[in-house]
Amino acid sequence: AQSVTQPDIHITVSEGASLELRCNYSYGATPYLFWYVQSPGQGLQLLLKYFSGDTLVQGIKGFEAEFKRSQSSFNLRKPSVHWSDAAEYFCAVGNSGGYQKVTFGIGTKLQVIP
Amino acid sequence: SQTIHQWPATLVQPVGSPLSLECTVEGTSNPNLYWYRQAAGRGLQLLFYSVGIGQISSEVPQNLSASRPQDRQFILSSKKLLLSDSGFYLCAWSSGRTTGELFFGEGSRLTVL
Protein backbone atom coordinates (compact mmCIF):
# COMPACT_ATOMS: atom_id res chain seq x y z
CA ALA A 1 0.00 0.00 0.00
CA GLN A 2 1.16 3.50 -0.71
CA SER A 3 2.04 5.80 2.18
CA VAL A 4 3.62 9.17 2.89
CA THR A 5 5.70 10.26 5.87
CA GLN A 6 6.24 13.87 6.81
CA PRO A 7 8.53 13.69 9.82
CA ASP A 8 8.22 17.34 10.84
CA ILE A 9 4.84 18.37 12.24
CA HIS A 10 5.86 21.96 12.97
CA ILE A 11 8.67 24.05 11.53
CA THR A 12 9.55 27.64 12.36
CA VAL A 13 11.78 29.72 10.11
CA SER A 14 12.72 33.37 9.96
CA GLU A 15 11.49 35.46 7.08
CA GLY A 16 14.12 35.47 4.35
CA ALA A 17 15.64 32.18 5.46
CA SER A 18 15.68 29.08 3.31
CA LEU A 19 13.17 26.28 3.80
CA GLU A 20 13.17 22.54 3.31
CA LEU A 21 10.17 20.35 4.16
CA ARG A 22 10.80 16.64 4.19
CA CYS A 23 8.68 13.95 2.60
CA ASN A 24 9.27 10.23 2.23
CA TYR A 25 6.94 7.94 0.34
CA SER A 26 6.27 4.28 -0.13
CA TYR A 27 4.93 3.10 -3.48
CA GLY A 28 5.37 -0.05 -5.52
CA ALA A 29 6.00 1.60 -8.88
CA THR A 30 7.08 4.98 -10.16
CA PRO A 31 5.12 7.37 -8.00
CA TYR A 32 3.14 10.44 -8.84
CA LEU A 33 4.12 12.97 -6.19
CA PHE A 34 2.51 16.20 -5.10
CA TRP A 35 2.89 19.04 -2.66
CA TYR A 36 -0.22 20.93 -1.59
CA VAL A 37 -0.55 24.00 0.61
CA GLN A 38 -3.45 24.84 2.90
CA SER A 39 -4.13 28.18 4.53
CA PRO A 40 -6.16 28.07 7.76
CA GLY A 41 -9.80 27.13 7.18
CA GLN A 42 -9.29 26.75 3.46
CA GLY A 43 -9.06 23.98 0.92
CA LEU A 44 -5.80 22.67 -0.52
CA GLN A 45 -3.95 24.22 -3.43
CA LEU A 46 -1.45 22.35 -5.57
CA LEU A 47 2.09 23.74 -5.36
CA LEU A 48 3.82 21.32 -7.71
CA LYS A 49 3.78 17.77 -9.00
CA TYR A 50 6.17 15.16 -10.32
CA PHE A 51 5.24 12.48 -12.82
CA SER A 52 8.38 11.76 -14.81
CA GLY A 53 11.38 13.41 -16.43
CA ASP A 54 13.47 16.03 -14.70
CA THR A 55 13.68 15.17 -11.02
CA LEU A 56 13.77 18.82 -9.99
CA VAL A 57 10.34 20.36 -10.44
CA GLN A 58 9.35 23.96 -10.16
CA GLY A 59 6.06 25.08 -8.72
CA ILE A 60 4.10 28.17 -7.89
CA LYS A 61 5.12 30.80 -5.35
CA GLY A 62 8.83 30.10 -5.84
CA PHE A 63 8.74 26.53 -4.50
CA GLU A 64 10.63 23.60 -5.94
CA ALA A 65 10.96 19.93 -5.06
CA GLU A 66 13.42 17.22 -5.91
CA PHE A 67 12.52 13.59 -6.48
CA LYS A 68 15.17 11.18 -5.23
CA ARG A 69 14.25 7.61 -6.04
CA SER A 70 17.15 6.11 -4.07
CA GLN A 71 15.94 7.84 -0.93
CA SER A 72 12.21 7.60 -1.65
CA SER A 73 12.04 11.30 -0.96
CA PHE A 74 10.36 14.35 -2.44
CA ASN A 75 11.48 17.30 -0.34
CA LEU A 76 10.05 20.76 -0.84
CA ARG A 77 12.36 23.77 -0.87
CA LYS A 78 12.24 27.52 -1.10
CA PRO A 79 15.36 29.70 -1.03
CA SER A 80 13.79 32.65 0.78
CA VAL A 81 10.62 32.37 2.83
CA HIS A 82 8.03 35.15 2.95
CA TRP A 83 5.61 35.74 5.83
CA SER A 84 2.76 34.79 3.48
CA ASP A 85 4.19 31.28 3.19
CA ALA A 86 2.95 30.46 6.69
CA ALA A 87 0.51 27.61 6.14
CA GLU A 88 0.27 23.84 6.33
CA TYR A 89 2.00 21.79 3.67
CA PHE A 90 0.98 18.32 2.59
CA CYS A 91 2.98 15.84 0.60
CA ALA A 92 0.99 13.25 -1.34
CA VAL A 93 1.54 10.19 -3.50
CA GLY A 94 -0.85 8.96 -6.14
CA ASN A 95 -1.40 6.94 -9.26
CA SER A 96 -2.72 7.74 -12.69
CA GLY A 97 -5.74 6.37 -14.42
CA GLY A 98 -9.46 6.68 -14.13
CA TYR A 99 -9.44 6.81 -10.37
CA GLN A 100 -6.67 8.70 -8.69
CA LYS A 101 -6.00 7.19 -5.30
CA VAL A 102 -4.04 9.92 -3.58
CA THR A 103 -2.59 9.35 -0.12
CA PHE A 104 -1.61 12.35 1.96
CA GLY A 105 0.93 12.83 4.69
CA ILE A 106 -0.15 14.30 8.02
CA GLY A 107 1.15 17.72 7.04
CA THR A 108 3.83 20.14 8.21
CA LYS A 109 2.72 23.41 9.73
CA LEU A 110 5.08 26.24 8.81
CA GLN A 111 5.43 29.28 11.04
CA VAL A 112 7.35 32.30 9.74
CA ILE A 113 8.78 34.76 12.23
CA PRO A 114 9.96 38.29 11.44
CA SER B 1 -12.56 27.36 -16.15
CA GLN B 2 -13.48 24.73 -13.61
CA THR B 3 -14.74 25.59 -10.17
CA ILE B 4 -15.84 23.58 -7.16
CA HIS B 5 -18.33 24.78 -4.59
CA GLN B 6 -18.95 23.25 -1.21
CA TRP B 7 -21.56 24.16 1.40
CA PRO B 8 -22.33 24.89 4.09
CA ALA B 9 -18.96 26.29 5.15
CA THR B 10 -19.70 25.84 8.84
CA LEU B 11 -22.18 23.61 10.61
CA VAL B 12 -22.91 22.94 14.27
CA GLN B 13 -25.16 19.96 14.87
CA PRO B 14 -26.32 18.00 17.93
CA VAL B 15 -25.48 14.35 18.35
CA GLY B 16 -28.06 12.17 16.64
CA SER B 17 -29.12 14.76 14.08
CA PRO B 18 -28.85 14.21 10.32
CA LEU B 19 -26.21 15.68 8.05
CA SER B 20 -26.04 16.80 4.46
CA LEU B 21 -22.99 18.41 2.90
CA GLU B 22 -23.13 19.28 -0.76
CA CYS B 23 -20.45 19.70 -3.39
CA THR B 24 -20.88 20.88 -6.97
CA VAL B 25 -18.32 21.09 -9.76
CA GLU B 26 -18.69 23.41 -12.74
CA GLY B 27 -16.85 23.67 -16.03
CA THR B 28 -16.06 20.00 -16.54
CA SER B 29 -17.93 16.80 -17.25
CA ASN B 30 -17.67 13.31 -15.79
CA PRO B 31 -15.21 14.24 -13.05
CA ASN B 32 -13.99 11.85 -10.42
CA LEU B 33 -15.31 13.11 -7.09
CA TYR B 34 -13.94 12.62 -3.59
CA TRP B 35 -14.84 13.32 0.03
CA TYR B 36 -11.95 13.70 2.46
CA ARG B 37 -12.04 14.34 6.20
CA GLN B 38 -9.25 16.24 7.88
CA ALA B 39 -8.54 15.88 11.58
CA ALA B 40 -5.79 17.72 13.41
CA GLY B 41 -2.50 15.87 13.20
CA ARG B 42 -3.93 13.12 11.01
CA GLY B 43 -3.73 14.54 7.52
CA LEU B 44 -6.48 13.86 5.04
CA GLN B 45 -8.46 10.66 5.14
CA LEU B 46 -10.28 9.59 2.00
CA LEU B 47 -13.89 8.73 2.85
CA PHE B 48 -15.59 8.19 -0.49
CA TYR B 49 -14.88 8.46 -4.17
CA SER B 50 -17.04 8.30 -7.26
CA VAL B 51 -16.14 7.75 -10.90
CA GLY B 52 -19.69 8.27 -12.21
CA ILE B 53 -23.34 8.88 -11.40
CA GLY B 54 -24.58 6.45 -8.79
CA GLN B 55 -21.12 4.86 -8.41
CA ILE B 56 -19.83 5.28 -4.87
CA SER B 57 -16.91 3.56 -3.23
CA SER B 58 -16.17 3.75 0.45
CA GLU B 59 -12.63 3.66 1.74
CA VAL B 60 -13.37 3.24 5.43
CA PRO B 61 -16.36 1.95 7.39
CA GLN B 62 -18.10 4.76 9.19
CA ASN B 63 -21.28 6.51 10.11
CA LEU B 64 -21.42 8.45 6.85
CA SER B 65 -22.69 7.80 3.35
CA ALA B 66 -22.27 9.52 -0.01
CA SER B 67 -24.39 9.90 -3.09
CA ARG B 68 -23.92 11.24 -6.61
CA PRO B 69 -27.36 12.06 -8.01
CA GLN B 70 -25.97 14.10 -10.91
CA ASP B 71 -22.71 14.10 -12.84
CA ARG B 72 -21.23 17.07 -11.02
CA GLN B 73 -22.94 16.80 -7.64
CA PHE B 74 -21.61 14.89 -4.68
CA ILE B 75 -23.40 14.71 -1.33
CA LEU B 76 -22.13 13.52 2.04
CA SER B 77 -24.80 12.42 4.49
CA SER B 78 -25.47 10.89 7.83
CA LYS B 79 -28.72 9.79 9.44
CA LYS B 80 -27.44 10.22 13.01
CA LEU B 81 -24.29 12.17 13.77
CA LEU B 82 -21.75 11.04 16.34
CA LEU B 83 -19.32 13.20 18.27
CA SER B 84 -16.51 11.55 16.33
CA ASP B 85 -17.93 12.88 13.06
CA SER B 86 -16.68 16.37 13.92
CA GLY B 87 -14.01 17.58 11.54
CA PHE B 88 -13.17 19.49 8.41
CA TYR B 89 -14.65 17.91 5.30
CA LEU B 90 -13.17 18.54 1.91
CA CYS B 91 -14.66 17.76 -1.46
CA ALA B 92 -12.33 17.36 -4.43
CA TRP B 93 -12.48 16.47 -8.08
CA SER B 94 -10.07 15.17 -10.67
CA SER B 95 -10.18 14.43 -14.35
CA GLY B 96 -9.57 10.93 -15.59
CA ARG B 97 -7.43 12.40 -18.33
CA THR B 98 -4.91 14.02 -15.99
CA THR B 99 -2.33 12.44 -13.79
CA GLY B 100 -3.59 12.55 -10.27
CA GLU B 101 -4.05 16.21 -9.55
CA LEU B 102 -6.91 16.94 -7.18
CA PHE B 103 -8.82 20.22 -7.05
CA PHE B 104 -10.31 21.00 -3.66
CA GLY B 105 -13.29 22.93 -2.44
CA GLU B 106 -13.03 25.37 0.44
CA GLY B 107 -14.14 22.83 3.01
CA SER B 108 -16.97 22.44 5.52
CA ARG B 109 -16.31 22.63 9.25
CA LEU B 110 -18.63 20.30 11.15
CA THR B 111 -18.91 20.44 14.92
CA VAL B 112 -21.06 17.84 16.61
CA LEU B 113 -22.08 18.71 20.17
Side-chain angles (χ1 to χ4, degrees), chain A residues 32 34 36 38 41-46 49 51 88 90 95-107, chain B residues 32 34 36 38 41-44 46 49 51 59 88 90 94-96 98-107 109:
Chain A
Y32 288 67
F34 311 88
Y36 288 84
Q38 183 183 34
Q42 302 293 313
L44 277 71
Q45 180 185 21
L46 182 71
K49 57 188 177 185
F51 297 143
E88 192 157 18
F90 292 90
N95 62 313
S96 65
Y99 157 53
Q100 286 87 32
K101 181 176 174 61
V102 180
T103 301
F104 288 82
I106 63 171
Chain B
N32 298 324
Y34 309 81
Y36 282 87
Q38 185 177 16
R42 296 183 62 183
L44 278 75
L46 178 61
Y49 68 91
V51 298
E59 283 289 299
F88 192 55
L90 289 159
S94 69
S95 168
T98 63
T99 43
E101 180 175 354
L102 295 174
F103 299 91
F104 285 86
E106 292 299 305
R109 172 75 61 188

Side-chain angles (χ1 to χ4, degrees), chain B residues 47-64:
Chain B
L47 302 176
F48 301 94
Y49 68 91
S50 171
V51 298
I53 295 175
Q55 300 178 61
I56 308 295
S57 297
S58 174
E59 283 289 299
V60 293
Q62 59 208 310
N63 184 44
L64 302 168

Side-chain angles (χ1 to χ4, degrees), chain A:
Chain A
Q2 59 196 52
S3 65
V4 176
T5 301
Q6 292 182 251
D8 304 307
I9 297 176
H10 288 99
I11 283 186
T12 300
V13 299
S14 299
E15 191 169 15
S18 62
L19 171 71
E20 183 169 30
L21 302 183
R22 296 183 291 165
C23 172
N24 292 97
Y25 69 88
S26 174
Y27 189 70
T30 299
Y32 288 67
L33 296 163
F34 311 88
W35 275 100
Y36 288 84
V37 61
Q38 183 183 34
S39 298
Q42 302 293 313
L44 277 71
Q45 180 185 21
L46 182 71
L47 281 176
L48 48 78
K49 57 188 177 185
Y50 170 79
F51 297 143
S52 63
D54 193 348
T55 56
L56 183 64
V57 294
Q58 303 296 320
I60 62 172
K61 304 184 181 185
F63 285 93
E64 66 178 27
E66 186 171 11
F67 169 59
K68 293 186 178 180
R69 184 187 300 275
S70 62
Q71 299 178 22
S72 298
S73 69
F74 189 57
N75 295 347
L76 182 72
R77 300 194 295 250
K78 186 169 184 178
S80 178
V81 170
H82 189 262
W83 64 266
S84 61
D85 293 324
E88 192 157 18
Y89 293 81
F90 292 90
C91 182
V93 62
N95 62 313
S96 65
Y99 157 53
Q100 286 87 32
K101 181 176 174 61
V102 180
T103 301
F104 288 82
I106 63 171
T108 298
K109 189 164 289 186
L110 173 65
Q111 181 182 10
V112 180
I113 57 177

